[in-house]
Amino acid sequence: MASLVHSHQHSGHSHGHHHDNTYLTSSNKKDAGVRITRIGLFVNLFMAIGKGVGGWLFNSQALIADAFHALTDLVSDFMTLGTVAWALKPPTPRFPSGYGKIESLGSLGVSGLLLTGGLLMGLNSVNVLCEQFLDIELLHAFHSHSHAIPDWNAAWLAGGSILIKEWLYRATIKIARERKSSVLASNAVHHRIDSLTSIVALTAITGSRLYGVTWLDPVGGLIVSMMVIRAGWGNTRAALLELADVGIDSEIKGSVRKAVSKAVEASSADPDSSNIAIRDVQGVKAGQNYLVDIELGVPETWSLAETRPIEEAVRQRVGSKVRGIRRVRIRFVSNESQKPDFSDEFIGRDVSPRSSLEPEDEEEARHEHEHREDSSNGHIRKRAPSQSRCFRGQKRPTTAAADTSIRILVDIMDDQSALYLGFDLSTQQLKGVAVTPNLKVVCEAKFDFDADSRGYGTTKGVLTNEEESEVYAPVAAFLQALDGVLSRLKQNGIDYSRVKGVSGAGMQHGSVYWSKAGEAALNTLDKTKGLEGQLGHAFSYPFSPNWQDASTQKECDAFDCHLGNERKLAVNTGSKAHHRFTGPQILRFRRKHSREYEQTSRISLVSSFLASLFLGKIAPFDISDVCGMNLWDVKVGAWNEQLLSLACGSSDTTDLKHKLGSVPEDGGGSFGSINNYFVERYGFNSSCQVYPFTGDNPSTILALPLQPLDAIVSLGTSTTFLMSTPHYKPDPSVHFMNHPTTPDLYMFMLCYKNGGLAREQVRNSLGSTPTKDLESWDTFDQKASSSPQMGQQKEGQPVKLGLYFPRPEIVPNVRAGTWRFTYKPGSQFLSENEDVWDLPADDARAIVESQMLSLRLRSQDLVEPPRDKSLPAQPRRIYLVGGGSKNAAIAKIAGEVLGGVEGVYRLDVGENACALGAAYKAVWAGERKEGETFEQLIGDRWKEEDFIRRIADGYQKGVFERYAEGVRGLAAAEKQTLKGERE
């Protein structure tokens, strides 16, 4: 409890001497933290009694002083128990600010007792010293028999006190570290610092006994009493200041400002949070409660409806993130207001010349008020913005009860018939899917860019400039696609008035460049026209760089070395630089299209671009998708200033930060209601909410309620490995992103260019002729299944490992080629040798093992053993998707190599995984209760049997351990191959 504090100064060390009473006042007696805290309470009780009685019996002033010190701790704890219940009572009309000051009064009582006792102890010690040296008794009331040397038993008591306090320290700090509890850590340090007074007492007593110096004990008592006096005065002063409503300290103000800033960024009222300024933070402390006042500057044209979401977001964020906050009062003023403080809330002495306490005549009072409002010494006085323009034009509800009843009725109807929409803007298509709150798909539609778009001539959704390795898409085609999908969904029978929420996904890394007129155009759309015809002037550049673009090698090199090397870049941003990443793309865009860059007002990712269309203004980036830019510092949770400086070519990054905008932390927080264009043109409900749109890979991971340490392996043309993990261990060969919905989780991703293509090459080498579906894989399956693990006919023989890259690979970064090795696990001898290989038969199993071993090599530091530690570290489940998931031999080898506590599963959500994941995200955002995670809500509603099937065993004892040698061998093979490439 912050109020009941006495700050000791031990040998110059300042120590805030207090117990945080979170555990002391808890009713959970079985909790280890509660138990050790209450043990400390009883220890203080027995130590106060024991040292007090012992000091008197064994003639030690130092021990008596130490006993009083323990007594003050005890009184503080009991005062806590006596006042904390009162302090936490809710405010009443009689006590509108709550009862926190009762705790302040208790603190004043304890600190006053501490100060008084310290003075009395000090006087007693001084009196004893005067008797011994001057033969003068200053105060008869303090006459003492302490001319004798203290008994050795006093030393034993002091020494025992030190040991007990040290034991309490060790026991408490152990629990604190296990819990990561700053509260218990503070209490632990308290125990250790308390032992210092006992050390002083022990030193004084021992010195008196060893050297026969009678004055040493009262000197020790005097030192202890000075410690207590200093602490008592400090806390008495603090309690008096608290009762006098002194302002909160700078640390609390800083914490409040940080929380407000985060709330403003995450709020739906204004995605461009630069329009909102934190002008002032003030507050007072009442016991353990903080009562804060926050002044926010907003555009003077804002209405009450626009400020209300900000107010709610700020209050919720500050209350949940800043410990001890009891009340948050917020006022809004115009950004044009000059005074950044609360002084204008106080009534000046010259406001009214009346001294009478009689009530004024109502009309006269109104006239005087208006006169004072309109003039002062002949000049116009501007009315306080917080009372006028922000709320202009708003009508106060006069029938609150009726309004609430109607709202409840509407909510009930919505729950019974609600729909949620998810969209996926991919390279070749835009897909839309509608689901119910129970996750049932009721409608879907798609728009194919090659087949359905008009006038753009795309091939597989993109245009190319082969000379410069550029790959890009016309933004106007995206606009065509959205109108097309919405029209087709309506033709398929969807009732848009039932839609409560919208979310979506976009191909990662792609960017869209808005012109200065872009946002105004979004907000003034004509319902009689399509999007394409109205937003042609909304972009400073008509194309969006695609993830397949490879034109940014020079820019990637600059990013990789700007922080020192590619590893440092990966540590900061989650990935090394890649051609497709938005940061290098922005740098190249600025260099090649400098005029268009200057004309760019905002930059969107493809995901936030799509969200902006629905929102009617530029939407913020998603907390996960922003990690695919090489600009966002993942651990810090902010733009990396050094990388922004590189991208914009200036040390002043203000303009680029404005172009990029804010990044809300809450993956389910509403951006606001849907653009009125969609209400009038398609019949959406005006209350439909737009939720954050994320990247296609993060959205895929949402297509099932993936638990931490579950892994998805996509076995398509390329191979992609996705895993949800609480560990952030970046490396240049992998990608780390924030989880799109769940704080403190990350999405780990591996991308390989050579996946299905490499397996097909081996399959064709076996003599099979592709005919239809799985039939052409029969020979491949037979060879892969019948071959021994890693080609090892018997234990002790070398294993066979291969690298198969028909295309240049990025993991590892090597040219196209095939390498075959033998590896001896015992000696770790690696040889590039095909002589012992039975080709091409051995390749069938080796290609699958090679791909799975590479996944295990790069994910092994992220997995954990099951809770009971009965098995080695491995994923909980392996989910296979894509064409390769239909192959039983591949699934079997995947389980043998990667493990999987619960086995290997095939996930089949059709062709709409990204759109479905986005729809699920909207369901979670719209339906969640406070604190309910995506995994909890979707997991409860998701019908596992409809989407997954167990197709192979996971962990197999002995087999999994044997493949650990294969992991080491593959690492050696890659290292040798990379070395050969450099030579």
Side-chain angles (χ1 to χ4, degrees):
M1 192 164 85
S3 289
L4 299 181
V5 177
H6 42 289
S7 301
H8 289 310
Q9 302 284 338
H10 294 304
S11 302
H13 174 74
S14 176
H15 166 54
H17 191 320
H18 73 282
H19 287 289
D20 187 307
N21 298 292
T22 303
Y23 290 96
L24 181 63
T25 58
S26 173
S27 59
N28 184 7
K29 297 180 181 179
K30 295 183 179 180
D31 185 272
V34 174
R35 189 163 54 248
I36 195 65
T37 303
R38 294 189 173 181
I39 288 172
L41 173 67
F42 289 115
V43 166
N44 280 338
L45 173 61
F46 291 117
M47 287 177 68
I49 296 172
K51 286 191 286 189
V53 172
W56 178 260
L57 292 176
F58 304 133
N59 197 36
S60 173
Q61 296 295 314
L63 198 59
I64 291 173
D66 196 19
F68 187 81
H69 172 261
L71 180 65
T72 58
D73 281 347
L74 184 65
V75 173
S76 176
D77 289 340
F78 278 114
M79 188 67 74
T80 295
L81 295 173
T83 62
V84 72
W86 279 91
L88 294 176
K89 288 178 67 175
T92 64
R94 188 178 182 187
F95 293 92
S97 295
Y99 293 82
K101 296 294 185 183
I102 290 178
E103 189 177 337
S104 304
L105 289 170
S107 178
L108 181 63
V110 172
S111 56
L113 175 64
L114 183 66
L115 180 60
T116 303
L119 288 169
L120 292 175
M121 288 187 300
L123 286 173
N124 187 40
S125 295
V126 170
N127 194 54
V128 172
L129 290 171
C130 288
E131 287 182 30
Q132 292 188 27
F133 287 100
L134 303 176
D135 199 22
I136 298 173
E137 186 176 359
L138 292 180
L139 298 171
H140 182 72
F142 289 97
H143 178 73
S144 174
H145 60 283
S146 60
H147 296 285
I149 295 174
D151 191 276
W152 273 116
N153 288 318
W156 285 113
L157 279 172
S161 174
I162 295 170
L163 293 175
I164 292 172
K165 279 291 185 176
E166 180 64 18
W167 174 82
L168 275 173
Y169 165 78
R170 293 176 180 273
T172 307
I173 201 66
K174 178 183 178 182
I175 299 172
R177 288 168 178 165
E178 291 173 352
R179 301 279 187 85
K180 295 181 173 60
S181 169
S182 60
V183 172
L184 288 172
S186 175
N187 287 352
V189 172
H190 174 200
H191 290 310
R192 173 161 279 181
I193 299 294
D194 278 352
S195 65
L196 289 177
T197 56
S198 296
I199 291 173
V200 172
L202 178 61
T203 302
I205 296 166
T206 304
S208 296
R209 292 296 307 177
L210 291 177
Y211 303 106
V213 182
T214 58
W215 54 264
L216 195 55
D217 180 63
V219 167
L222 183 61
I223 293 172
V224 173
S225 67
M226 290 173 66
M227 293 178 179
V228 175
I229 289 170
R230 188 170 184 181
W233 166 243
N235 276 327
T236 299
R237 181 176 179 274
L240 288 171
L241 288 173
E242 196 172 295
L243 288 167
D245 285 339
V246 70
I248 57 178
D249 60 44
S250 58
E251 182 180 356
I252 296 297
K253 282 187 179 181
S255 298
V256 172
R257 280 184 176 273
K258 182 178 179 181
V260 173
S261 179
K262 292 288 187 181
V264 168
E265 289 178 8
S267 173
S268 62
D270 181 27
D272 183 5
S273 59
S274 61
N275 284 342
I276 305 171
I278 307 170
R279 296 169 60 86
D280 201 7
V281 174
Q282 292 187 6
V284 298
K285 190 167 178 290
Q288 62 184 322
N289 305 325
Y290 291 101
L291 315 176
V292 298
D293 297 279
I294 301 166
E295 180 177 286
L296 298 179
V298 297
E300 63 177 10
T301 57
W302 273 26
S303 66
L304 175 62
E306 290 172 294
T307 59
R308 185 61 182 170
I310 297 290
E311 180 179 356
E312 292 175 351
V314 168
R315 181 171 287 110
Q316 190 277 333
R317 180 85 185 193
V318 173
S320 62
K321 296 297 183 181
V322 185
R323 192 173 179 190
I325 295 295
R326 185 69 167 169
R327 189 205 67 199
V328 178
R329 186 162 54 196
I330 305 164
R331 78 167 189 169
F332 295 91
V333 300
S334 169
N335 279 327
E336 298 176 2
S337 178
Q338 294 182 355
K339 284 190 174 182
D341 56 43
F342 296 88
S343 61
D344 59 351
E345 291 186 347
F346 289 88
I347 307 300
R349 292 182 180 180
D350 59 345
V351 168
S352 174
R354 296 171 178 255
S355 58
S356 170
L357 297 178
E358 296 177 7
E360 296 179 342
D361 174 79
E362 182 178 351
E363 187 65 26
E364 181 185 356
R366 182 178 60 82
H367 173 75
E368 275 200 28
H369 171 74
E370 291 176 351
H371 177 73
R372 289 197 304 272
E373 189 71 49
D374 294 337
S375 65
S376 176
N377 298 323
H379 297 284
I380 298 297
R381 176 180 292 176
K382 199 169 188 178
R383 199 182 319 173
S386 61
Q387 299 172 8
S388 59
R389 298 193 180 186
C390 283
F391 309 141
R392 185 172 53 194
Q394 298 298 316
K395 295 182 179 179
R396 294 181 180 273
T398 56
T399 55
D403 184 60
T404 302
S405 299
I406 292 171
R407 191 181 301 114
I408 291 173
L409 179 59
V410 170
D411 286 345
I412 291 173
M413 293 174 64
D414 284 348
D415 289 340
Q416 292 174 343
S417 59
L419 293 176
Y420 292 89
L421 283 179
F423 293 89
D424 171 28
L425 179 49
S426 65
T427 301
Q428 299 187 44
Q429 296 177 330
L430 173 66
K431 300 174 183 176
V433 60
V435 302
T436 67
N438 291 324
L439 311 184
K440 178 183 178 182
V441 176
V442 296
C443 196
E444 57 187 23
K446 69 178 181 179
F447 182 100
D448 187 279
F449 292 117
D450 288 359
D452 300 324
S453 66
R454 304 177 305 277
Y456 297 107
T458 59
T459 301
K460 294 187 176 180
V462 296
L463 304 172
T464 59
N465 172 11
E466 294 183 2
E467 184 176 344
E468 297 186 49
S469 301
E470 291 181 330
V471 182
Y472 48 87
V475 178
F478 299 163
L479 303 176
Q480 274 190 14
L482 182 55
D483 273 333
V485 167
L486 290 173
S487 297
R488 292 175 183 181
L489 284 170
K490 195 166 187 176
Q491 292 169 7
N492 291 343
I494 191 172
D495 179 1
Y496 283 120
S497 66
R498 295 170 52 193
V499 178
K500 287 185 66 176
V502 179
S503 185
M507 49 189 142
Q508 283 197 273
H509 319 297
S511 48
V512 175
Y513 299 85
W514 296 89
S515 68
K516 291 180 170 62
E519 188 155 13
L522 279 173
N523 203 31
T524 56
L525 295 171
D526 182 351
K527 67 177 181 179
T528 65
K529 302 176 182 178
L531 293 171
E532 181 187 8
Q534 299 185 74
L535 294 176
H537 65 294
F539 310 103
S540 61
Y541 186 66
F543 302 107
S544 171
N546 183 265
W547 63 271
Q548 300 171 87
D549 186 280
S551 66
T552 58
Q553 184 58 54
K554 180 180 177 182
E555 288 75 18
C556 286
D557 292 341
F559 267 76
D560 276 338
C561 68
H562 195 67
L563 298 183
N565 53 53
E566 63 182 25
R567 179 169 296 278
K568 290 182 179 179
L569 180 65
V571 168
N572 281 270
T573 69
S575 304
K576 61 167 286 187
H578 293 274
H579 293 144
R580 62 189 184 275
F581 272 48
T582 322
Q585 288 287 344
I586 291 174
L587 175 55
R588 186 172 189 273
F589 179 72
R590 178 179 63 79
R591 289 171 171 173
K592 184 178 180 181
H593 305 284
S594 57
R595 181 181 176 185
E596 287 84 353
Y597 180 83
E598 290 299 322
Q599 294 173 345
T600 298
S601 173
R602 297 292 299 274
I603 300 174
S604 289
L605 295 172
V606 172
S607 58
S608 62
F609 157 79
L610 192 55
S612 300
L613 298 179
F614 282 104
L615 191 60
K617 52 186 175 182
I618 308 301
F621 294 153
D622 165 71
I623 190 64
S624 180
D625 207 13
V626 72
C627 299
M629 300 180 72
N630 280 140
L631 294 174
W632 184 257
D633 197 314
V634 178
K635 291 297 289 182
V636 175
W639 297 112
N640 186 292
E641 289 290 337
Q642 291 178 266
L643 297 172
L644 288 181
S645 179
L646 171 64
C648 71
S650 170
S651 59
D652 184 359
T653 61
T654 304
D655 180 61
L656 180 54
K657 280 195 284 191
H658 172 76
K659 283 178 167 64
L660 298 173
S662 62
V663 184
E665 289 185 346
D666 185 0
S670 173
F671 285 167
S673 299
I674 196 167
N675 188 353
N676 199 50
Y677 170 82
F678 298 97
V679 177
E680 296 178 349
R681 184 173 176 89
Y682 295 102
F684 277 80
N685 192 311
S686 61
S687 65
C688 174
Q689 298 297 296
V690 180
Y691 299 112
F693 284 42
T694 190
D696 52 3
N697 286 306
S699 192
T700 298
I701 216 169
L702 299 179
L704 75 162
L706 205 67
Q707 300 298 314
L709 304 181
D710 284 352
I712 296 179
V713 182
S714 177
L715 299 170
T717 303
S718 60
T719 295
T720 303
F721 181 88
L722 299 168
M723 190 168 72
S724 177
T725 174
H727 306 295
Y728 182 73
K729 297 182 179 180
D731 183 87
S733 65
V734 303
H735 304 289
F736 270 90
M737 291 170 273
N738 289 316
H739 193 280
T741 64
T742 309
D744 300 322
L745 276 182
Y746 301 95
M747 198 182 82
F748 167 79
M749 184 169 73
L750 277 166
C751 296
Y752 299 83
K753 288 185 176 180
N754 295 279
L757 183 63
R759 294 190 297 272
E760 289 173 9
Q761 188 180 67
V762 171
R763 176 202 64 187
N764 294 342
S765 71
L766 293 170
S768 301
T769 301
T771 53
K772 57 180 180 178
D773 296 333
L774 297 179
E775 291 180 7
S776 62
W777 289 91
D778 288 349
T779 303
F780 180 95
D781 290 356
Q782 189 272 325
K783 295 293 184 182
S785 300
S786 60
S787 299
Q789 295 154 8
M790 295 182 290
Q792 211 175 20
Q793 296 289 348
K794 58 183 179 179
E795 193 170 347
Q797 286 185 336
V799 301
K800 299 174 183 177
L801 300 169
L803 300 176
Y804 303 84
F805 303 140
R807 295 176 177 172
E809 185 52 70
I810 55 177
V811 185
N813 188 11
V814 297
R815 61 180 171 83
T818 300
W819 294 262
R820 298 180 180 87
F821 303 86
T822 56
Y823 174 74
K824 295 181 179 179
S827 62
Q828 299 185 3
F829 177 76
L830 179 75
S831 173
E832 186 174 349
N833 177 16
E834 293 184 357
D835 294 343
V836 297
W837 286 64
D838 180 14
L839 298 176
D842 284 350
D843 280 339
R845 186 176 187 94
I847 174 64
V848 181
E849 288 178 331
S850 172
Q851 293 177 343
M852 298 303 158
L853 285 170
S854 181
L855 298 180
R856 180 168 166 181
L857 169 65
R858 290 168 172 85
S859 64
Q860 61 185 345
D861 290 336
L862 301 174
V863 293
E864 298 174 349
R867 288 185 178 180
D868 61 4
K869 310 294 184 182
S870 59
L871 300 176
Q874 60 190 289
R876 187 184 75 100
R877 285 185 175 185
I878 306 294
Y879 292 97
L880 303 183
V881 298
S885 66
K886 300 174 183 178
N887 190 302
I890 293 176
K892 180 177 181 294
I893 296 171
E896 291 173 349
V897 177
L898 297 175
V901 175
E902 295 182 14
V904 179
Y905 296 77
R906 182 182 174 201
L907 172 65
D908 187 3
V909 291
E911 298 178 352
N912 297 327
C914 287
L916 199 60
Y920 288 177
K921 191 171 191 274
V923 171
W924 168 70
E927 302 279 326
R928 62 178 174 169
K929 300 174 184 176
E930 184 175 354
E932 189 173 23
T933 66
F934 177 90
E935 290 78 10
Q936 291 168 339
L937 188 144
I938 300 301
D940 288 342
R941 304 182 184 191
W942 197 68
K943 295 182 179 179
E944 184 175 280
E945 63 272 15
D946 292 344
F947 299 100
I948 67 171
R949 181 169 60 88
R950 195 175 190 276
I951 56 174
D953 292 333
Y955 172 79
Q956 299 168 51
K957 187 174 178 59
V959 175
F960 183 84
E961 288 77 3
R962 180 184 296 179
Y963 273 113
E965 295 294 342
V967 170
R968 286 187 280 272
L970 185 76
E974 289 184 356
K975 183 177 180 180
Q976 181 170 310
T977 303
L978 287 168
K979 182 179 179 181
E981 291 290 287
R982 287 192 293 267
E983 295 174 350

